[in-house]
């Protein structure tokens, strides 16, 4: 069941209505049934995998807490973490590892046959696996007590608003909320509806439309010129942002209507003036997860400089591998590791130099820093979007030719990808709304809170415009428009 479907438009109000009609002691059961129904709507067989991960992590955490010796605690920690990782490896990485081992053996003249398995990647496995891992590790560290109520713990793993694509919640903040008695709150309902509407706008009016032109270029690299690569990559930067943050907005809004608070997953990432700041604003739940469970355990920055740089690079490399079992993603993570290592040397000197500048010159340097950061992020998106590593390298080799005749190249590229004048104006309008929204959020405050403080006419006018744009986009969307969210594949 997709967030941007009529089924979910019926499912969510029904769940919210029943939730507040039931006594508190039955509500967890309703949400658990609703969450499993939501997940099984993709493939009923997948329920056994999420149930297995839930049971093993629940038992491991209880045993860790009951263990009398450190040896037994570590053994149960290893069992809980290991079983979850084995499931993730089998479904997500087995074929990738097998293919690369086979290719290596053939390269050294050893005749071996292919050994791959026909397995389907379960939706959301990376997200709920990381959620169970953090729970078991936190219980081992003593950060929290193990949850005794199996049903509520199963709900923590499968909570439908954030089950498929996050945010990756921590048990220490989400589990207690399932024990709280929530009352229907008009402010929460209103805020949640606004957040869902804005998430749908991002997904339907920006991401899905941009995907049409991105797919035309990345699906036929030889039929497009270098300027088309530039335009498609810029559009993909907005596509993936609106696709993923739109999902997060709908997830947060859905949970808010039920009285739950999920963590913010995006905070105007394209306003970042460094790669470090970008990752503080992009996919925040994943960034903080890797910081707490990979980067800091490796030693973080409280070690020698060489080890600190190694820790940074390894963390980003693992992050790239988390995104997918392809060399594209490994290179993508490695590039961010290289950029982050470089910033360790560059940023302190740059910030000291900026202190002595006049306000006008500071604004110029901030703009230059933003342009460089955004350019590097877009460069990395090439590896993320390309179908293969060879395709990504082909794009990078041809990109310099885009500067030879930029204006003429833009006109030809727009014609090549089928972006007509009218479609371009509509796309620029929706992108403009997005940029204004994020600018307000970055420099003024939460746009939804600000809107709720305005006169009723203004509030309803904004709501009407957003809803009409979403509705018209759905009704006039061309054939082949994207529907599923990008991060469902992870």
């Amino acid at each position: 069941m997709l967030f941007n479907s009529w089924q979910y438009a019926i499912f969510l109000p029904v769940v919210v209505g029943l939730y507040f009609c039931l006594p508190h002691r039955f509500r967890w059961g309703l949400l658990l049934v609703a969450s499993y129904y939501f997940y099984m709507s993709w493939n009923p067989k997948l329920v056994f995998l999420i149930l297995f991960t839930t049971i093993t992590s629940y038992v491991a955490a209880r045993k860790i807490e009951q263990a009398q010796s450190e040896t037994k605690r570590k053994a149960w920690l290893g069992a809980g973490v290991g079983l979850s990782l084995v499931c993730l490896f089998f479904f997500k990485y087995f074929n990738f590892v097998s293919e690369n081992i086979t290719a290596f053996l053939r390269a050294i003249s050893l005749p071996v046959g292919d050994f791959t398995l026909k397995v389907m990647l379960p939706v959301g496995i990376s997200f709920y696996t990381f959620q169970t891992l953090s729970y078991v590790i936190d219980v081992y560290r003593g950060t929290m007590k193990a949850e005794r109520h199996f049903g509520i713990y199963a709900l923590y793993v499968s909570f439908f608003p954030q089950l498929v694509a996050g945010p990756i919640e921590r048990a220490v903040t989400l589990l207690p909320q399932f024990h709280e008695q929530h009352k229907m709150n008009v402010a929460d309902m209103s805020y949640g509806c606004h957040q869902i509407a804005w998430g749908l706008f991002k997904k339907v009016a920006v991401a899905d439309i941009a995907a049409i032109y991105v797919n035309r270029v990345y699906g036929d690299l030889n039929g497009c010129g270098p300027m088309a690569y530039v335009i498609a990559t810029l559009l993909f930067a907005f596509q993936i942002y609106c696709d993923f943050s739109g999902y997060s907005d709908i997830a947060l809004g859905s949970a808010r209507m039920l009285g739950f608070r999920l963590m913010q997953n995006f905070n105007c990432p394209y306003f970042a003036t460094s790669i470090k700041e970008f990752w503080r604003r992009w996919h925040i739940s994943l960034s903080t997860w890797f910081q707490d469970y990979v980067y800091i355990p490796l030693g973080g920055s409280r070690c020698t400089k060489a080890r600190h740089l190694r820790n940074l690079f390894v963390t980003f490399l693992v992050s790239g591998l988390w995104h997918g079992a392809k060399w594209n993603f490994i290179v993508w993570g490695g590039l961010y590791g290289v950029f982050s290592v470089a910033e360790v040397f560059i940023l302190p000197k740059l910030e000291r130099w900026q202190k002595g500048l006049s306000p006008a010159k500071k604004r110029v340097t901030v703009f230059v820093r933003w342009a460089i950061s955004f350019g590097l992020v877009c460069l990395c998106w090439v590896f993320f979007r390309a179908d293969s590593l060879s395709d990504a390298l082909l794009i990078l080799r041809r990109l310099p030719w885009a500067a030879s005749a930029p204006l003429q190249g833009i006109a030809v590229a727009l014609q090549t990808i089928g972006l007509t004048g009218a479609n371009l104006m509509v796309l620029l309008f929706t992108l403009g709304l997005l940029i204004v929204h994020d600018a307000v959020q970055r420099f003024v405050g939460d746009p939804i809170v600000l809107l709720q403080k305005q006169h009723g006419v203004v509030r309803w006018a904004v709501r009407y415009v957003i809803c009409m744009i979403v509705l018209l986009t759905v009704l006039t969307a061309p054939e082949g428009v994207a529907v599923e969210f990008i991060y469902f594949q992870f």
Side-chain angles (χ1 to χ4, degrees), residues 170-289:
R170 305 296 177 82
V172 70
T173 57
L174 184 56
L175 267 174
Q177 294 187 58
F178 294 123
H179 292 279
E180 296 172 359
Q181 184 168 352
H182 301 123
K183 295 182 179 179
M184 184 177 288
N185 187 302
V186 175
D188 281 345
M189 288 286 184
S190 174
Y191 191 98
C193 286
H194 278 91
Q195 201 163 16
I196 290 171
W198 183 246
L200 287 172
F201 169 82
K202 286 180 177 179
K203 169 61 178 171
V204 175
V206 181
D208 287 353
I209 301 304
I212 298 171
Y213 309 107
V214 173
N215 293 343
R216 285 176 184 171
V217 175
Y218 276 86
D220 183 21
L221 295 179
N222 291 321
C224 301
M227 186 55 72
Y229 301 162
V230 174
I231 295 172
T233 302
L234 288 172
L235 287 177
F236 180 69
F238 287 100
Q239 178 199 345
I240 192 168
Y241 169 54
C242 290
D243 192 281
F244 195 14
S245 68
Y247 179 96
S248 294
D249 285 336
I250 299 171
L252 268 66
S254 300
R256 185 73 170 256
M257 293 178 70
L258 291 162
F260 295 89
R261 298 292 195 274
L262 302 183
M263 72 180 297
Q264 184 182 19
N265 214 15
F266 291 86
N267 183 16
C268 313
Y270 288 151
F271 280 92
T273 57
S274 68
I275 297 300
K276 181 180 181 180
E277 185 185 359
F278 172 78
W279 278 102
R280 286 179 177 172
R281 298 177 175 277
W282 178 276
H283 202 174
I284 299 169
S285 64
L286 181 68
S287 301
T288 53
W289 196 99

Side-chain angles (χ1 to χ4, degrees), residues 365-416:
T365 57
V366 167
F367 176 80
V368 172
R369 285 182 57 177
W370 166 81
I372 293 173
S373 300
F374 183 69
L376 293 176
V377 169
C378 288
L379 176 67
C380 292
W381 285 138
V382 171
F383 288 91
F384 196 96
R385 176 57 184 83
D387 293 331
S388 65
L389 185 57
S390 59
D391 281 356
L393 295 175
L394 173 66
I395 292 172
L396 294 186
R397 284 198 302 269
R398 294 180 178 178
L399 274 182
W401 293 101
S404 58
L407 295 180
Q408 182 181 3
I410 291 174
V412 173
L414 292 176
Q415 185 178 7
T416 301

Side-chain angles (χ1 to χ4, degrees), residues 320-435:
L321 188 60
W322 176 89
H323 280 83
K326 292 172 67 176
W327 283 106
N328 298 45
F329 297 117
I330 296 174
V331 173
W332 176 77
L335 280 175
Y336 274 116
V338 171
F339 296 152
S340 298
V341 167
E343 284 188 346
V344 171
F345 297 96
I346 296 171
L347 284 184
K349 296 177 181 178
L350 183 60
E351 289 168 357
R352 285 196 298 269
W353 174 71
Q354 279 185 285
K355 289 181 180 179
L357 298 177
S358 64
K361 289 182 178 179
K362 280 184 180 179
R363 285 192 289 271
V364 173
T365 57
V366 167
F367 176 80
V368 172
R369 285 182 57 177
W370 166 81
I372 293 173
S373 300
F374 183 69
L376 293 176
V377 169
C378 288
L379 176 67
C380 292
W381 285 138
V382 171
F383 288 91
F384 196 96
R385 176 57 184 83
D387 293 331
S388 65
L389 185 57
S390 59
D391 281 356
L393 295 175
L394 173 66
I395 292 172
L396 294 186
R397 284 198 302 269
R398 294 180 178 178
L399 274 182
W401 293 101
S404 58
L407 295 180
Q408 182 181 3
I410 291 174
V412 173
L414 292 176
Q415 185 178 7
T416 301
I417 65 178
L419 192 52
T420 64
N423 291 336
L424 179 61
M425 292 301 294
V426 172
L427 187 57
L428 290 176
F429 173 71
T430 55
L431 287 175
L433 287 179
L434 172 73
I435 293 170

